[in-house]
Amino acid sequence: MLALLLAMTLACEVAAGDAVGYAAAVRPEAQASLGGGAMCTPAVGAAVSMQDRFRTGAGGRIDLVFRDGSAITIGPNSELTLDRFVFDREADRGELAVSVAKGVFRFIGGRISKTRPVRFRAPTAVIGIRGGMALLNVQAAEDRHAAGQGNGALSRMPAEATSVPSQARPRPEIPDITATFLYGIDLTVQTATGRQRMTRPGFSIATGRGGTPELPAPALQEALDDVARALQ
């Protein structure tokens, strides 16, 4: 038993020389494959490196902090892979890119995002964030059309909502992706069929089955509060 526990501990470690950041907080039901090791629960303070994979259950959360000061919170029922991190402290430039399969995420920009977009690669879109703070919800394929399911999808108020009685509005399908811009320089959503950009805080861009990003629209405060609670 001791040997097994030791092996699991070693599997969660990565050589300090390869570290690009660390796990600042870990809530139970969270696992990671660090340094190519097996999936296990990372310790608070565990170093993370490129190609590390993270996965959470319904009660899980992981906060990652990177060497440039960027931070990513991985919420419940989420999956993320750290694709690339490069940072030149003297030039104050670098690159940060992650892949997200599903889940809810919060990004807080560090020094990299001030000069270059940080990229979140989702199954159907690439989200670029410059500066500031953003929320991202990526629906798993089995949840995309199950109304009210998923990780607290960031519902948006359609542009025509103020002129259409609520009882007459059709029930919207759950978007594949919803990206919400909280503050900063800008946020873009790029798919195979289109691109949208927003600079106004509190607005969201969503993509549906067609894949084309919709025009930015106000995010509902209730939905933002739900996501904030999930990421606490």
Side-chain angles (χ1 to χ4, degrees):
M1 178 63 71
L2 180 60
L4 177 61
L5 292 174
L6 179 59
M8 291 180 64
T9 301
L10 292 175
C12 285
E13 294 181 350
V14 63
D18 297 328
V20 301
Y22 65 97
V26 179
R27 183 179 290 177
E29 290 191 60
Q31 292 187 312
S33 171
L34 305 182
M39 279 285 181
C40 61
T41 300
V44 173
V48 300
S49 61
M50 286 191 289
Q51 304 308 313
D52 286 351
R53 296 181 294 121
F54 304 89
R55 182 176 63 204
T56 60
R61 193 196 76 196
I62 303 175
D63 291 341
L64 303 177
V65 177
F66 298 92
R67 289 196 289 110
D68 74 313
S70 297
I72 296 175
T73 297
I74 305 169
N77 296 318
S78 303
E79 295 181 11
L80 178 146
T81 299
L82 176 53
D83 295 328
R84 182 168 174 79
F85 180 92
V86 178
F87 180 57
D88 184 330
R89 190 175 297 276
E90 292 186 4
D92 209 26
R93 292 180 178 274
E95 181 181 0
L96 172 57
V98 302
S99 294
V100 290
K102 65 175 183 176
V104 60
F105 309 89
R106 176 173 56 218
F107 172 74
I108 300 176
R111 293 163 70 180
I112 289 176
S113 69
K114 297 184 185 304
T115 58
R116 181 172 184 164
V118 169
R119 303 200 180 277
F120 283 71
R121 298 186 178 98
T124 59
V126 177
I127 298 88
I129 305 164
R130 288 201 301 158
M133 183 174 178
L135 300 174
L136 177 63
N137 190 91
V138 179
Q139 288 292 320
E142 61 269 22
D143 293 334
R144 287 173 187 162
H145 310 301
Q149 301 299 313
N151 295 298
L154 297 176
S155 303
R156 302 163 348 116
M157 181 178 292
E160 70 275 13
T162 56
S163 60
V164 180
S166 59
Q167 62 270 23
R169 295 177 206 150
R171 190 174 190 177
E173 72 171 15
I174 300 296
D176 285 2
I177 296 167
T178 306
T180 300
F181 183 63
L182 299 182
Y183 67 86
I185 301 172
D186 65 10
L187 184 152
T188 60
V189 177
Q190 176 77 56
T191 71
T193 56
R195 180 180 185 272
Q196 289 290 347
R197 173 178 178 266
M198 58 184 167
T199 60
R200 188 170 178 179
F203 273 56
S204 298
I205 295 172
T207 66
R209 275 183 296 181
T212 302
E214 299 175 1
L215 291 171
L220 297 178
Q221 186 60 50
E222 182 179 358
L224 293 174
D225 292 342
D226 289 343
V227 173
R229 282 192 290 271
L231 293 171
Q232 286 180 350

